[in-house]
Amino acid sequence: MSFAPFDWIDAEARGRAAAGLVRALRPRGAEPELLDLASNDYLGLTRHPEVTAAAAAAARRWGAGATGSRLVTGSTALHAELERELAAFCGFEAALVFSSGYAANLAALTALTGHGSLIVSDAGNHASIVDGCRLSRAETAVVAHADPEAFGKALRAHDGRALAVTDSVFSVDGDAAPLPGLAEVCRSANAALLVDDAHGLGVLGAGGRGALAAARLAGGDGIVATLTLSKSLGSQGGAVLGPARVIDHLVNTARTFIFDTGLAPAAVGGALGALGVLRREPERADRAREVATALFTRFTAAELRTVRPDAAVVSVRAPSADAAVRWAADCRAAGMAVGCFRPPSVPDGVSRLRLTARADLTEEQIATAVATVLATAPRQADARVS
């Protein structure tokens, strides 16, 4: 008797293939083979000698792994140092380090809400926020993108504990959230504001201190931030920043903190090394934004449908999912890696190339990147501005 409980997977795979939505892993080598405009290494610190040396030194001193959850054996003096440094750099009272930015978002959303509370979430938020809302068991209202009044309307309709959540910089199009307006509606509704600053840290604010610092909201009583160490800081892991009582609460209640193995010492050391470089070279943040603006200006001049970047993400729209895949593949064949975003990764259903502006790109590399995108662009009229 045949038993095939996973036959349904084949039907789903055929559907993905028909829709042009097949994804595949592409392992890269240790040495860069392509001009990289696909990674999130905004400040060019992943291979910086001080960062890699700090990671290696931490592994040699503390071991390859954290050895356990943070509340058992997984907290080291190095973790505590990173938490102090992150809080001080970003302007918050306290910080708590997690194994990933994804885990940090799940922790904040589930520990700060629950049955009877309300989460108001921007329609463009990252998948980790979406999943955190689902796991929280709170009522969730998804509102129009970057619209403080929509947030306010949902918050005013709720009687009880409430939290608004938004990305600071949205990962698909690179546009920034209206943080001052969101903070104001949260204050008027006595609601907390949670901001995922994954794409703002290292790029926005004085010396890269993040979007909340730029908006002069860092350290506010009702403000909590999450961030990742895997983008501007070139390492891996995540963190939640906020008032000390919030961080204390997470230590005692956040399941992705209590039941997860602590961040590996090498990643902690690497993030500390990157923070040291950024403190000494704050101009890296300005340079990342300059590169993004240069890419946008040149793509727009060539009549590509490009979204104006507020940080270091540059989004160029494609006429279809298939066209986006071909475009990215043609860029790769020409020697450059770019991101390719398609449904369901894009909330508006519009496929696009996603390029990341790095602070270490030279003028020659910027020119090469622009020429490559233009030379490989789909020939359909709707690939360009109408």
Side-chain angles (χ1 to χ4, degrees), residues 73-130:
T73 59
S75 284
T76 69
L78 204 63
H79 289 80
E81 181 183 354
L82 177 58
E83 287 163 348
R84 289 191 300 271
E85 289 293 322
L86 283 172
F89 183 75
C90 297
F92 285 84
E93 189 176 7
L96 190 64
V97 167
F98 288 77
S99 60
S100 71
Y102 209 113
N105 272 340
L106 296 188
L109 285 161
T110 56
L112 297 178
T113 63
H115 282 304
S117 58
L118 171 70
I119 299 174
V120 184
S121 178
D122 190 289
N125 278 341
H126 187 263
S128 58
I129 294 176
V130 174

Short mmCIF file of all heavy atoms in Angstrom, two decimals, residues 73-130:
data_model
loop_
_atom_site.label_atom_id
_atom_site.label_comp_id
_atom_site.label_asym_id
_atom_site.label_seq_id
_atom_site.Cartn_x
_atom_site.Cartn_y
_atom_site.Cartn_z
N THR A 73 24.01 29.41 30.89
CA THR A 73 25.46 29.64 30.73
C THR A 73 25.78 30.54 29.54
O THR A 73 26.96 30.80 29.27
CB THR A 73 26.20 28.30 30.55
OG1 THR A 73 25.67 27.64 29.38
CG2 THR A 73 26.05 27.42 31.76
N GLY A 74 24.76 31.02 28.83
CA GLY A 74 24.99 31.71 27.56
C GLY A 74 25.28 33.19 27.66
O GLY A 74 25.51 33.84 26.64
N SER A 75 25.27 33.76 28.86
CA SER A 75 25.62 35.18 29.03
C SER A 75 27.08 35.30 29.45
O SER A 75 27.50 34.70 30.44
CB SER A 75 24.73 35.83 30.10
OG SER A 75 23.45 36.09 29.60
N THR A 76 27.83 36.08 28.72
CA THR A 76 29.23 36.32 29.08
C THR A 76 29.41 37.81 29.37
O THR A 76 28.53 38.63 29.08
CB THR A 76 30.17 35.93 27.92
OG1 THR A 76 29.98 36.86 26.84
CG2 THR A 76 29.91 34.52 27.44
N ALA A 77 30.56 38.14 29.90
CA ALA A 77 30.88 39.56 30.12
C ALA A 77 30.88 40.32 28.80
O ALA A 77 30.58 41.52 28.75
CB ALA A 77 32.25 39.68 30.80
N LEU A 78 31.19 39.60 27.70
CA LEU A 78 31.19 40.23 26.38
C LEU A 78 29.78 40.62 25.96
O LEU A 78 29.56 41.69 25.38
CB LEU A 78 31.80 39.25 25.37
CG LEU A 78 32.41 39.85 24.10
CD1 LEU A 78 33.59 40.76 24.44
CD2 LEU A 78 32.87 38.72 23.17
N HIS A 79 28.79 39.74 26.23
CA HIS A 79 27.39 40.08 25.94
C HIS A 79 26.97 41.34 26.71
O HIS A 79 26.33 42.24 26.15
CB HIS A 79 26.47 38.92 26.33
CG HIS A 79 26.57 37.72 25.44
ND1 HIS A 79 27.58 36.79 25.56
CD2 HIS A 79 25.78 37.29 24.43
CE1 HIS A 79 27.40 35.83 24.65
NE2 HIS A 79 26.32 36.12 23.94
N ALA A 80 27.33 41.39 27.97
CA ALA A 80 26.96 42.54 28.79
C ALA A 80 27.62 43.82 28.26
O ALA A 80 27.01 44.90 28.25
CB ALA A 80 27.35 42.30 30.24
N GLU A 81 28.86 43.71 27.81
CA GLU A 81 29.56 44.88 27.26
C GLU A 81 28.85 45.37 25.99
O GLU A 81 28.65 46.58 25.81
CB GLU A 81 31.01 44.53 26.94
CG GLU A 81 31.80 45.70 26.38
CD GLU A 81 33.22 45.32 25.99
OE1 GLU A 81 33.65 44.17 26.25
OE2 GLU A 81 33.90 46.18 25.40
N LEU A 82 28.47 44.44 25.11
CA LEU A 82 27.78 44.83 23.89
C LEU A 82 26.45 45.51 24.21
O LEU A 82 26.10 46.52 23.58
CB LEU A 82 27.56 43.62 22.99
CG LEU A 82 26.77 43.88 21.70
CD1 LEU A 82 27.46 44.94 20.84
CD2 LEU A 82 26.60 42.58 20.90
N GLU A 83 25.73 45.00 25.19
CA GLU A 83 24.45 45.61 25.56
C GLU A 83 24.65 47.04 26.08
O GLU A 83 23.89 47.95 25.72
CB GLU A 83 23.74 44.72 26.57
CG GLU A 83 23.18 43.46 25.92
CD GLU A 83 22.82 42.34 26.88
OE1 GLU A 83 23.21 42.42 28.08
OE2 GLU A 83 22.17 41.37 26.43
N ARG A 84 25.67 47.24 26.87
CA ARG A 84 25.95 48.61 27.36
C ARG A 84 26.32 49.53 26.21
O ARG A 84 25.87 50.68 26.13
CB ARG A 84 27.07 48.58 28.40
CG ARG A 84 26.70 47.96 29.74
CD ARG A 84 27.78 48.22 30.78
NE ARG A 84 29.08 47.67 30.41
CZ ARG A 84 29.48 46.44 30.72
NH1 ARG A 84 28.68 45.63 31.40
NH2 ARG A 84 30.68 46.02 30.36
N GLU A 85 27.16 49.03 25.30
CA GLU A 85 27.62 49.86 24.19
C GLU A 85 26.48 50.20 23.23
O GLU A 85 26.38 51.34 22.75
CB GLU A 85 28.74 49.13 23.44
CG GLU A 85 30.05 49.05 24.21
CD GLU A 85 30.69 50.42 24.39
OE1 GLU A 85 30.63 51.25 23.47
OE2 GLU A 85 31.23 50.67 25.48
N LEU A 86 25.62 49.23 22.94
CA LEU A 86 24.49 49.49 22.04
C LEU A 86 23.55 50.52 22.64
O LEU A 86 23.10 51.46 21.95
CB LEU A 86 23.73 48.19 21.77
CG LEU A 86 24.34 47.22 20.77
CD1 LEU A 86 23.57 45.90 20.78
CD2 LEU A 86 24.37 47.80 19.35
N ALA A 87 23.22 50.36 23.92
CA ALA A 87 22.31 51.29 24.58
C ALA A 87 22.90 52.70 24.57
O ALA A 87 22.21 53.67 24.24
CB ALA A 87 22.02 50.83 26.00
N ALA A 88 24.17 52.82 24.91
CA ALA A 88 24.81 54.14 24.95
C ALA A 88 24.88 54.76 23.56
O ALA A 88 24.61 55.96 23.38
CB ALA A 88 26.20 54.02 25.56
N PHE A 89 25.25 53.97 22.57
CA PHE A 89 25.41 54.49 21.22
C PHE A 89 24.08 54.98 20.64
O PHE A 89 24.02 56.04 20.01
CB PHE A 89 26.00 53.40 20.31
CG PHE A 89 26.28 53.86 18.91
CD1 PHE A 89 27.37 54.67 18.63
CD2 PHE A 89 25.46 53.47 17.86
CE1 PHE A 89 27.63 55.10 17.33
CE2 PHE A 89 25.71 53.88 16.56
CZ PHE A 89 26.80 54.70 16.29
N CYS A 90 23.02 54.22 20.88
CA CYS A 90 21.72 54.55 20.28
C CYS A 90 20.87 55.47 21.15
O CYS A 90 19.82 55.94 20.72
CB CYS A 90 20.95 53.26 19.99
SG CYS A 90 21.74 52.19 18.76
N GLY A 91 21.30 55.71 22.40
CA GLY A 91 20.59 56.66 23.25
C GLY A 91 19.47 56.07 24.08
O GLY A 91 18.52 56.78 24.41
N PHE A 92 19.59 54.81 24.47
CA PHE A 92 18.57 54.16 25.29
C PHE A 92 19.13 53.78 26.66
O PHE A 92 20.35 53.71 26.86
CB PHE A 92 18.04 52.91 24.58
CG PHE A 92 17.12 53.21 23.44
CD1 PHE A 92 17.63 53.50 22.18
CD2 PHE A 92 15.75 53.23 23.62
CE1 PHE A 92 16.79 53.80 21.12
CE2 PHE A 92 14.90 53.53 22.57
CZ PHE A 92 15.42 53.81 21.31
N GLU A 93 18.23 53.52 27.59
CA GLU A 93 18.64 53.20 28.94
C GLU A 93 19.27 51.82 29.04
O GLU A 93 20.23 51.61 29.80
CB GLU A 93 17.43 53.29 29.88
CG GLU A 93 17.78 53.18 31.36
CD GLU A 93 16.58 53.38 32.27
OE1 GLU A 93 15.43 53.46 31.76
OE2 GLU A 93 16.80 53.46 33.50
N ALA A 94 18.74 50.86 28.29
CA ALA A 94 19.23 49.48 28.41
C ALA A 94 19.01 48.74 27.10
O ALA A 94 18.27 49.17 26.22
CB ALA A 94 18.50 48.76 29.55
N ALA A 95 19.69 47.59 26.97
CA ALA A 95 19.58 46.77 25.76
C ALA A 95 19.66 45.30 26.15
O ALA A 95 20.21 44.94 27.20
CB ALA A 95 20.68 47.12 24.77
N LEU A 96 19.13 44.44 25.28
CA LEU A 96 19.19 43.00 25.48
C LEU A 96 19.50 42.36 24.13
O LEU A 96 18.80 42.62 23.14
CB LEU A 96 17.86 42.48 26.01
CG LEU A 96 17.81 41.04 26.50
CD1 LEU A 96 18.73 40.84 27.71
CD2 LEU A 96 16.37 40.63 26.84
N VAL A 97 20.55 41.53 24.09
CA VAL A 97 21.02 40.93 22.85
C VAL A 97 20.37 39.56 22.63
O VAL A 97 20.27 38.76 23.57
CB VAL A 97 22.56 40.82 22.85
CG1 VAL A 97 23.06 39.92 21.74
CG2 VAL A 97 23.17 42.21 22.72
N PHE A 98 19.97 39.31 21.39
CA PHE A 98 19.33 38.06 20.99
C PHE A 98 20.15 37.38 19.89
O PHE A 98 21.07 37.98 19.33
CB PHE A 98 17.92 38.34 20.46
CG PHE A 98 16.93 38.73 21.53
CD1 PHE A 98 16.95 40.02 22.06
CD2 PHE A 98 15.98 37.83 21.99
CE1 PHE A 98 16.05 40.40 23.03
CE2 PHE A 98 15.07 38.20 22.98
CZ PHE A 98 15.10 39.48 23.49
N SER A 99 19.77 36.16 19.55
CA SER A 99 20.50 35.41 18.53
C SER A 99 20.23 35.92 17.12
O SER A 99 20.97 35.60 16.19
CB SER A 99 20.17 33.92 18.61
OG SER A 99 18.77 33.71 18.42
N SER A 100 19.16 36.70 16.92
CA SER A 100 18.87 37.29 15.61
C SER A 100 17.92 38.47 15.78
O SER A 100 17.24 38.60 16.81
CB SER A 100 18.24 36.26 14.67
OG SER A 100 16.91 35.96 15.08
N GLY A 101 17.86 39.31 14.76
CA GLY A 101 16.88 40.38 14.77
C GLY A 101 15.47 39.85 14.73
O GLY A 101 14.54 40.43 15.31
N TYR A 102 15.27 38.73 14.06
CA TYR A 102 13.96 38.07 14.00
C TYR A 102 13.51 37.70 15.41
O TYR A 102 12.37 37.99 15.82
CB TYR A 102 14.08 36.82 13.13
CG TYR A 102 12.83 36.41 12.41
CD1 TYR A 102 12.76 36.47 11.02
CD2 TYR A 102 11.71 35.94 13.08
CE1 TYR A 102 11.62 36.09 10.33
CE2 TYR A 102 10.57 35.56 12.41
CZ TYR A 102 10.53 35.63 11.03
OH TYR A 102 9.40 35.25 10.36
N ALA A 103 14.41 37.08 16.18
CA ALA A 103 14.09 36.69 17.55
C ALA A 103 13.81 37.90 18.42
O ALA A 103 12.96 37.86 19.32
CB ALA A 103 15.23 35.86 18.14
N ALA A 104 14.52 39.00 18.16
CA ALA A 104 14.30 40.22 18.94
C ALA A 104 12.90 40.77 18.70
O ALA A 104 12.20 41.18 19.65
CB ALA A 104 15.35 41.27 18.57
N ASN A 105 12.43 40.78 17.45
CA ASN A 105 11.08 41.25 17.16
C ASN A 105 10.03 40.34 17.78
O ASN A 105 9.03 40.82 18.34
CB ASN A 105 10.87 41.36 15.65
CG ASN A 105 11.30 42.70 15.10
OD1 ASN A 105 11.40 43.68 15.84
ND2 ASN A 105 11.56 42.77 13.82
N LEU A 106 10.21 39.03 17.68
CA LEU A 106 9.26 38.11 18.29
C LEU A 106 9.19 38.34 19.80
O LEU A 106 8.11 38.34 20.39
CB LEU A 106 9.65 36.66 18.01
CG LEU A 106 9.63 36.18 16.56
CD1 LEU A 106 9.87 34.68 16.49
CD2 LEU A 106 8.34 36.54 15.85
N ALA A 107 10.34 38.56 20.41
CA ALA A 107 10.39 38.78 21.86
C ALA A 107 9.63 40.03 22.26
O ALA A 107 8.79 40.01 23.16
CB ALA A 107 11.84 38.88 22.32
N ALA A 108 9.93 41.14 21.60
CA ALA A 108 9.31 42.41 21.98
C ALA A 108 7.80 42.37 21.79
O ALA A 108 7.04 42.82 22.65
CB ALA A 108 9.92 43.55 21.17
N LEU A 109 7.36 41.83 20.67
CA LEU A 109 5.92 41.83 20.38
C LEU A 109 5.14 40.88 21.28
O LEU A 109 4.03 41.20 21.71
CB LEU A 109 5.70 41.48 18.90
CG LEU A 109 6.03 42.62 17.94
CD1 LEU A 109 6.25 42.10 16.53
CD2 LEU A 109 4.92 43.66 17.96
N THR A 110 5.70 39.73 21.58
CA THR A 110 4.96 38.78 22.41
C THR A 110 5.02 39.14 23.89
O THR A 110 4.05 38.92 24.62
CB THR A 110 5.50 37.35 22.21
OG1 THR A 110 6.91 37.31 22.48
CG2 THR A 110 5.25 36.87 20.79
N ALA A 111 6.14 39.70 24.34
CA ALA A 111 6.29 39.99 25.77
C ALA A 111 5.61 41.30 26.17
O ALA A 111 5.27 41.49 27.34
CB ALA A 111 7.76 40.04 26.14
N LEU A 112 5.41 42.21 25.23
CA LEU A 112 4.84 43.52 25.57
C LEU A 112 3.36 43.63 25.23
O LEU A 112 2.77 44.69 25.40
CB LEU A 112 5.62 44.63 24.85
CG LEU A 112 7.10 44.75 25.23
CD1 LEU A 112 7.79 45.84 24.42
CD2 LEU A 112 7.26 45.01 26.73
N THR A 113 2.77 42.54 24.75
CA THR A 113 1.34 42.54 24.44
C THR A 113 0.70 41.28 25.04
O THR A 113 1.13 40.82 26.07
CB THR A 113 1.10 42.61 22.92
OG1 THR A 113 1.66 41.44 22.30
CG2 THR A 113 1.74 43.85 22.33
N GLY A 114 -0.31 40.74 24.38
CA GLY A 114 -0.98 39.55 24.87
C GLY A 114 -2.48 39.70 24.78
O GLY A 114 -3.01 40.65 24.19
N HIS A 115 -3.22 38.71 25.34
CA HIS A 115 -4.68 38.74 25.31
C HIS A 115 -5.22 40.07 25.84
O HIS A 115 -4.77 40.56 26.88
CB HIS A 115 -5.25 37.60 26.16
CG HIS A 115 -5.19 36.26 25.49
ND1 HIS A 115 -5.74 36.01 24.25
CD2 HIS A 115 -4.65 35.09 25.90
CE1 HIS A 115 -5.54 34.75 23.93
NE2 HIS A 115 -4.86 34.17 24.91
N GLY A 116 -6.15 40.64 25.10
CA GLY A 116 -6.79 41.87 25.55
C GLY A 116 -6.10 43.13 25.12
O GLY A 116 -6.64 44.23 25.28
N SER A 117 -4.89 43.01 24.56
CA SER A 117 -4.17 44.21 24.11
C SER A 117 -4.30 44.32 22.59
O SER A 117 -4.76 43.41 21.91
CB SER A 117 -2.70 44.15 24.53
OG SER A 117 -2.08 43.00 24.01
N LEU A 118 -3.88 45.48 22.08
CA LEU A 118 -3.98 45.76 20.65
C LEU A 118 -2.60 46.07 20.10
O LEU A 118 -1.83 46.82 20.70
CB LEU A 118 -4.90 46.96 20.41
CG LEU A 118 -4.94 47.51 18.98
CD1 LEU A 118 -5.65 46.54 18.05
CD2 LEU A 118 -5.60 48.89 18.94
N ILE A 119 -2.29 45.48 18.93
CA ILE A 119 -1.11 45.86 18.15
C ILE A 119 -1.61 46.52 16.87
O ILE A 119 -2.46 45.98 16.16
CB ILE A 119 -0.24 44.65 17.78
CG1 ILE A 119 0.27 43.94 19.03
CG2 ILE A 119 0.93 45.09 16.91
CD1 ILE A 119 1.02 42.65 18.72
N VAL A 120 -1.09 47.72 16.58
CA VAL A 120 -1.38 48.38 15.31
C VAL A 120 -0.10 48.31 14.48
O VAL A 120 0.94 48.82 14.89
CB VAL A 120 -1.83 49.83 15.51
CG1 VAL A 120 -2.21 50.44 14.16
CG2 VAL A 120 -3.02 49.90 16.46
N SER A 121 -0.19 47.67 13.32
CA SER A 121 1.00 47.35 12.53
C SER A 121 0.90 47.93 11.13
O SER A 121 -0.13 47.81 10.47
CB SER A 121 1.15 45.81 12.44
OG SER A 121 2.26 45.44 11.66
N ASP A 122 1.99 48.54 10.67
CA ASP A 122 2.05 49.09 9.31
C ASP A 122 1.95 47.96 8.29
O ASP A 122 2.56 46.90 8.45
CB ASP A 122 3.37 49.84 9.14
CG ASP A 122 3.42 50.64 7.85
OD1 ASP A 122 3.50 50.03 6.76
OD2 ASP A 122 3.38 51.89 7.92
N ALA A 123 1.22 48.21 7.20
CA ALA A 123 1.02 47.18 6.17
C ALA A 123 2.32 46.77 5.50
O ALA A 123 2.40 45.68 4.91
CB ALA A 123 0.05 47.70 5.12
N GLY A 124 3.36 47.61 5.57
CA GLY A 124 4.63 47.28 4.93
C GLY A 124 5.65 46.65 5.85
O GLY A 124 6.81 46.47 5.45
N ASN A 125 5.27 46.27 7.06
CA ASN A 125 6.24 45.76 8.03
C ASN A 125 6.86 44.44 7.61
O ASN A 125 6.26 43.63 6.89
CB ASN A 125 5.57 45.60 9.40
CG ASN A 125 5.50 46.90 10.16
OD1 ASN A 125 6.22 47.84 9.88
ND2 ASN A 125 4.62 46.96 11.16
N HIS A 126 8.05 44.20 8.15
CA HIS A 126 8.82 42.98 7.87
C HIS A 126 8.11 41.73 8.37
O HIS A 126 7.31 41.78 9.30
CB HIS A 126 10.20 43.10 8.53
CG HIS A 126 11.14 42.01 8.18
ND1 HIS A 126 11.33 40.90 8.98
CD2 HIS A 126 11.95 41.84 7.09
CE1 HIS A 126 12.22 40.10 8.42
NE2 HIS A 126 12.61 40.64 7.28
N ALA A 127 8.43 40.60 7.76
CA ALA A 127 7.80 39.33 8.12
C ALA A 127 7.98 38.97 9.58
O ALA A 127 7.10 38.35 10.19
CB ALA A 127 8.36 38.20 7.24
N SER A 128 9.10 39.36 10.18
CA SER A 128 9.31 39.05 11.60
C SER A 128 8.31 39.78 12.48
O SER A 128 7.89 39.27 13.52
CB SER A 128 10.74 39.40 12.02
OG SER A 128 11.02 40.78 11.79
N ILE A 129 7.91 40.98 12.07
CA ILE A 129 6.88 41.71 12.81
C ILE A 129 5.53 41.04 12.61
O ILE A 129 4.76 40.86 13.56
CB ILE A 129 6.84 43.19 12.38
CG1 ILE A 129 8.14 43.88 12.78
CG2 ILE A 129 5.63 43.90 12.97
CD1 ILE A 129 8.24 45.33 12.32
N VAL A 130 5.25 40.66 11.38
CA VAL A 130 3.99 39.96 11.09
C VAL A 130 3.88 38.70 11.94
O VAL A 130 2.85 38.43 12.57
CB VAL A 130 3.90 39.61 9.59
CG1 VAL A 130 2.66 38.76 9.31
CG2 VAL A 130 3.87 40.87 8.74
#
